[in-house]
Structure formats: structure tokens, C-alpha cells
């Protein structure tokens, strides 16, 4: 990991990796959605089960994004890795967007399936809290990057916010909620194979797309930091 | 209740949001890297 502390070395890897992540991600999502519309309707949910092929990956990305922020925050605080703050800031916006998409697609799925757009149950409320954490992180990291180069406050916030992740995961176990318990676990799947398999395409597809977007945003931030450093040098001269 | 408007609305919102983020991130990256390359050349 320390090998990539040098932005030039990181860019050498990120430049060829970006189109691969984006291209492969879009291809997997495209095929997964096509397969999702070929699969049979669910016995209980009917045709609305197809919404889960986009809802589940976006929920996963919302949580994965914050895991990334927490990990890079730890790297920044412990090892002062120079790219850790850049990575955390690059993850925040796509993480927030996919969390918002997860909440909206879940709400659209809930109306015909549960008969309601929204319920203040454990899973939905903790996901909404995750969205607010992302928005606060974006504001904090944005303002801190203008005043300091260390971004320690945002990193501490990123670590503390990770407490919400197990709450999201176990909310359907700890509380008797409207949201169903986990359908997928290491022990197996409660979903029938013909309905499950398109999810095995869209989930890695969205994950690769997310990685491609984060790489693009990291490249943007590195270029902007370089420009800013040059302007500061000129101002001092 | 007809489920299809809900299915298409969910896919439409997800597609539009993802495409908007992709386009915005790509444009910002190209602009920032082009600025740096121009300054490096100057």
C-alpha cells in the first residue's frame, strides 16, 4: 500500500485501470439487467422483484463506500498516507449518490410490495442516517481541504461514522422490522436460483463501475492538488 | 396495482443518476488533467 504513496506511481496504475473498471462494470450491469428481465417473476413480489437487481448493489455500494472512507481515514491517521485523504474524498460523492439511489429504489419497491413508500424501521432509518453522514463528510472534507492539508477532523469523522455500518447490517436481526431479514449469507441463499443469478452479475458490475468512478475522482483531485500547490508556490515567490 | 411503472421508475432514476455521475466525473477529470498538462508544457 505504501508503494502507492507516490501519486506518480499511483497514476501509472490508475490510468490504464480506469477504462477497464468502467467498461467491464457497464458490461456486467448491462448483462445483469438483461438477465433480470428474462428471469421469472417472484411468487410474492411479482414483477417488482426486478427492482432488487439495482437496489441490492446500490445498498452494498453505500456501505462499501463508507468502509472505504473508514479504512482510508485509518491509513491517514496512523500512517499519514498522502493519498488516503484523496481516496476518502473521492469515495464520498459516489457513496452518497448510491446510498440515495438505494433509498429511492427501495421506496419505489416498497409502495407496490408493502403498500407504503416509507417506514421508520431500523434498516431504512439507518440507511437514511448513512446518507446524512455522507453529506456531512462531504461538507467537512471540502471545507477542511481549503484550510488544512492534514484533513484529520474529516478522518476522525470517517472512523466514528463506521459505527453505523453494523447497525445497518444487523438492524433486521436486532429489531422486528418491516424490512425482511438477510436473504444472502455465508450459509446460503433464501432466494431461488432463477431469481438470484442476475444479482450475481449486477453486484460485481456496479462495484467495478464504482471503482472506476473513484479512480476518475482521485485523478481529478490529484490534478487539482498539483495545480493548487503550483499556485501557492507562485504566490510565495 | 400495475408494477411496471414502479419498475421503470426505479431503473430510470438509477440509470440517470449513474450516467450523470459518470459524465460529471469524466468531464472533471479530463478538465483537471488537461489544465495540469497545459501548465506543465508552459
Amino acid at each position: 500500500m505504501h508503494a502507492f504513496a507516490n501519486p506518480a506511481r499511483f497514476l501509472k496504475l490508475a490510468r490504464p485501470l480506469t477504462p477497464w473498471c468502467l467498461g467491464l462494470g457497464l458490461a456486467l450491469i448491462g448483462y445483469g439487467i438483461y438477465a433480470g428481465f428474462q428471469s421469472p417473476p417472484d411468487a410474492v413480489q411479482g414483477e417488482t422483484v426486478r427492482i432488487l437487481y439495482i437496489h441490492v448493489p446500490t445498498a452494498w455500494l453505500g456501505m462499501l463506500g463508507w468502509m472505504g472512507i473508514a479504512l482510508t481515514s485509518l491509513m491517514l491517521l496512523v500512517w499519514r498516507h498522502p493519498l488516503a485523504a484523496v481516496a476518502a474524498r473521492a469515495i464520498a460523492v459516489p457513496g452518497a449518490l448510491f446510498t440515495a439511489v438505494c433509498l429511492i429504489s427501495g421506496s419505489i419497491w416498497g409502495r407496490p410490495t408493502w403498500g407504503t413508500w416509507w417506514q421508520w424501521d431500523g434498516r431504512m432509518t439507518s440507511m437514511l442516517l448513512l446518507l446524512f453522514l455522507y453529506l456531512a463528510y462531504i461538507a467537512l472534507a471540502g471545507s477542511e481541504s481549503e484550510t488544512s492539508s492534514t484533513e484529520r477532523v474529516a478522518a476522525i469523522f470517517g472512523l466514528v461514522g463506521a459505527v453505523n455500518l453494523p447497525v445497518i447490517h444487523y438492524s433486521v436481526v436486532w429489531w422486528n422490522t418491516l424490512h425482511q431479514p438477510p436473504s444472502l449469507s455465508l450459509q446460503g441463499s433464501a432466494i431461488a436460483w432463477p431469481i438470484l443469478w442476475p444479482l450475481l452479475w449486477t453486484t460485481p458490475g456496479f462495484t467495478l463501475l464504482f471503482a472506476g468512478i473513484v479512480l476518475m475522482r482521485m485523478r481529478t483531485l490529484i490534478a487539482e492538488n498539483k495545480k493548487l500547490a503550483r499556485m501557492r508556490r507562485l504566490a510565495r515567490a | 396495482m400495475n408494477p411496471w411503472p414502479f419498475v421503470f421508475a426505479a431503473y430510470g432514476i438509477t440509470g440517470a443518476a449513474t450516467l450523470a455521475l459518470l459524465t460529471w466525473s469524466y468531464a472533471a477529470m479530463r478538465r483537471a488533467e488537461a489544465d495540469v498538462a497545459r501548465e506543465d508544457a508552459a
Side-chain angles (χ1 to χ4, degrees):
Chain A
M1 197 53 73
H2 290 289
F4 298 109
N6 180 344
R9 198 174 295 159
F10 168 78
L11 286 173
K12 214 172 165 183
L13 182 77
R15 283 194 183 114
L17 209 57
T18 309
W20 276 104
C21 284
L22 295 175
L24 199 59
L26 285 171
L28 289 177
I29 293 168
Y31 182 70
I33 289 174
Y34 167 77
F37 278 89
Q38 303 301 312
S39 66
D42 182 71
V44 179
Q45 301 168 50
E47 303 291 353
T48 53
V49 73
R50 302 180 204 291
I51 296 174
L52 299 187
Y53 301 131
I54 48 173
H55 173 72
V56 174
T58 53
W60 153 247
L61 289 182
M63 293 175 69
L64 179 76
W66 200 277
M67 274 186 253
I69 288 177
L71 192 71
T72 49
S73 297
L74 188 73
M75 287 167 66
L76 178 71
L77 292 170
V78 177
W79 294 292
R80 301 191 180 185
H81 195 293
L83 282 182
V86 170
R89 282 185 65 199
I91 292 168
V93 171
L97 183 116
F98 284 114
T99 304
V101 167
C102 162
L103 286 165
I104 294 167
S105 60
S107 177
I108 293 171
W109 176 84
R111 181 67 186 92
T113 315
W114 290 336
T116 181
W117 296 101
W118 184 262
Q119 270 286 311
W120 291 101
D121 87 336
R123 174 59 64 85
M124 285 180 256
T125 308
S126 53
M127 275 308 277
L128 184 65
L129 180 65
L130 180 67
L131 177 63
F132 292 148
L133 286 172
Y134 270 119
L135 298 180
Y137 182 87
I138 292 165
L140 192 61
S143 64
E144 205 180 10
S145 69
E146 286 173 12
T147 55
S148 127
S149 58
T150 54
E151 304 188 24
R152 291 176 68 88
V153 178
I156 292 165
F157 184 79
L159 271 180
V160 173
V163 170
N164 190 39
L165 295 178
V167 176
I168 295 172
H169 183 74
Y170 291 107
S171 57
V172 289
V173 179
W174 290 340
W175 300 297
N176 186 19
T177 63
L178 186 59
H179 198 286
Q180 68 274 20
S183 308
L184 290 168
S185 68
L186 292 174
Q187 281 75 43
S189 164
I191 307 171
W193 178 250
I195 289 175
L196 173 69
W197 79 273
L199 205 56
L200 304 181
W201 291 87
T202 55
T203 304
F206 271 100
T207 308
L208 280 170
L209 190 74
F210 186 85
I213 291 169
V214 170
L215 285 176
M216 285 199 291
R217 292 183 52 78
M218 283 183 77
R219 287 169 60 178
T220 308
L221 289 169
I222 288 170
E224 284 173 354
N225 285 348
K226 195 174 172 185
K227 216 171 128 184
L228 203 66
R230 187 174 287 158
M231 281 167 70
R232 280 181 181 147
R233 267 201 311 275
L234 282 172
R236 272 201 303 269
Chain B
M1 192 182 286
N2 180 8
W4 289 109
F6 294 94
V7 174
F8 290 131
Y11 275 83
I13 289 167
T14 306
T18 307
L19 265 180
L21 178 66
L22 256 178
T23 312
W24 175 51
S25 303
Y26 180 75
M29 178 190 74
R30 289 299 299 262
R31 197 170 44 243
E33 289 189 339
D35 280 353
V36 168
R38 204 170 24 249
E39 284 177 10
D40 282 346

